[in-house]
Amino acid sequence: MDIVRRILSMREIARKERESGRKIGFVPTMGSLHEGHLSLVRRVKELADIVVVSVFVNPKQFGAGEDLSQYPRDIKRDADLCIAEGVDYLFHPEPEEVYPDGHATIVEVEGLSRKLEGKSRPGHFRGVTTIVAKMLNIVHPHVAAFGQKDAQQAAIIQRLVKDLMIDVEVLVLPIVRDEDELALSSRNRFLTVEQRRAAGAIPRALQAARHVVAEGIRDPEEVVASAREVIEAEPLLKVDYVELVDPRDLNPVTAVEGEMLLVLAVYAGETRLLDNAEIRVS
Ligand code: PAF
């Protein structure tokens, strides 16, 4: 596996691979890789000839109160995991090259970026869409994979690719969960033993919502309340939001019907945990 540090080199590699007729698969990450990322790599490897993983802790998607410096970084471990998965290139650029002096362009998906996470983390998605647009321009993949755990991010990236007519297939792949069903996240490592145990209430809350819908509850507020209740029973957790939304526009649903997404953000101490579940009523 080659570790590529310069944008020009990555661009040149992508150009040559394409010219040789090879299909490029891409998994953008901020490093601190776990089984969730590796599941994306494995799927992309099935679909493409060449796999590129980027590791870039993107400063533009961290808000003022969010500690960019605390974000876990271990490029050696990430590289070893990528080698074990048969990744071809690990793209690991310097922030100074990605955002040189004078950088002034921001990519923003309006509307979708202001809801849910966007309300609690203003400017976050602008940072995400700016870096994803840059990465897609540099790596020029045929297919790029994102995780359903960050459902809003995935919806925003799909919109970005559509609106900017970027020639890439976007895959959104299922959430990978731990033994107690907690969604894997790089942030889980910040949890104390007690918080980690309490966080088990998050997947149980999603289950509770699914259960009441299966039992015939058709009031969105009751569905949301059933999930909230499970989380609020855990003193170590604090709900930021629990919403039942339409997956297309992320607006709260007014009726429990068709395809819906129960999305939530919860704090365990300072650690923000996201999760979601599809709920369907036919
Ligand atoms: O999901 C992430 O890890 C990041 O938001 C992404 C898509 C790599 C952009 O920095």
Side-chain angles (χ1 to χ4, degrees):
M1 184 185 76
D2 287 346
I3 299 185
V4 184
R5 300 301 311 264
R6 305 305 301 264
I7 292 172
L8 206 61
S9 313
M10 188 64 247
R11 214 187 266 289
E12 191 59 11
I13 287 165
R15 192 185 58 74
K16 287 199 177 129
E17 295 289 2
R18 276 187 167 248
E19 272 174 11
S20 311
R22 284 192 276 270
K23 191 169 170 181
I24 302 174
F26 180 42
V27 180
T29 81
M30 296 210 299
S32 187
L33 302 181
H34 51 66
E35 274 299 312
H37 298 111
L38 302 182
S39 73
L40 306 183
V41 170
R42 286 172 200 141
R43 181 67 187 130
V44 160
K45 211 169 155 50
E46 286 169 357
L47 299 172
D49 305 306
I50 293 294
V51 180
V52 180
V53 171
S54 63
V55 170
F56 181 68
V57 181
N58 174 33
K60 297 260 186 240
Q61 67 188 78
F62 288 79
E66 302 171 348
D67 201 349
L68 169 66
S69 63
Q70 291 298 311
Y71 199 84
R73 291 166 173 87
D74 189 347
I75 193 65
K76 167 86 180 69
R77 180 181 164 278
D78 290 343
D80 287 345
L81 287 170
C82 286
I83 290 168
E85 293 300 329
V87 169
D88 298 280
Y89 300 101
L90 180 63
F91 180 42
H92 181 45
E94 294 290 351
E96 295 73 24
E97 203 187 356
V98 175
Y99 297 111
D101 282 348
H103 181 277
T105 303
I106 287 298
V107 179
E108 181 162 15
V109 172
E110 291 185 335
L112 282 181
S113 298
R114 300 286 167 101
K115 300 169 187 180
L116 303 170
E117 283 299 288
K119 275 192 206 152
S120 304
R121 304 181 68 193
H124 166 67
F125 286 120
R126 254 196 333 229
V128 171
T129 40
T130 301
I131 192 64
V132 170
K134 278 173 182 275
M135 288 290 179
L136 294 177
N137 266 331
I138 298 166
V139 177
H140 203 183
H142 296 82
V143 50
F146 299 85
Q148 170 67 16
K149 184 183 77 65
D150 298 304
Q152 184 175 9
Q153 168 173 285
I156 289 172
I157 288 168
Q158 283 172 311
R159 189 76 248 171
L160 163 83
V161 163
K162 200 167 181 198
D163 288 355
L164 294 187
M165 298 164 186
I166 302 176
D167 188 16
V168 63
E169 182 190 351
V170 173
L171 298 178
V172 181
L173 298 173
I175 299 176
V176 179
R177 297 182 177 279
D178 226 328
E179 272 169 19
D180 64 350
E181 295 289 310
L182 182 68
L184 295 189
S185 162
S186 308
R187 294 206 170 97
N188 292 357
R189 67 178 57 193
F190 294 132
L191 300 172
T192 63
V193 174
E194 294 76 23
Q195 288 168 341
R196 179 65 188 74
R197 186 206 44 75
I202 297 172
R204 289 204 305 277
L206 298 174
Q207 276 305 331
R210 277 200 164 126
H211 179 74
V212 296
V213 172
E215 293 285 293
I217 296 293
R218 291 295 175 263
D219 174 0
E221 281 182 22
E222 274 187 64
V223 177
V224 166
S226 69
R228 248 183 188 280
E229 211 171 275
V230 177
I231 297 166
E232 285 171 353
E234 271 298 344
L236 293 182
L237 301 181
K238 189 168 151 292
V239 170
D240 182 22
Y241 61 78
V242 180
E243 291 193 33
L244 187 62
V245 300
D246 183 325
R248 290 162 299 185
D249 56 17
L250 304 179
N251 284 332
V253 298
T254 51
V256 178
E257 62 188 11
E259 283 186 18
M260 295 155 290
L261 203 57
L262 189 84
V263 283
L264 55 80
V266 168
Y267 283 100
E270 298 289 297
T271 307
R272 187 177 176 81
L273 300 170
L274 305 186
D275 207 342
N276 66 85
E278 285 170 20
I279 297 185
R280 195 168 303 171
V281 174
S282 39

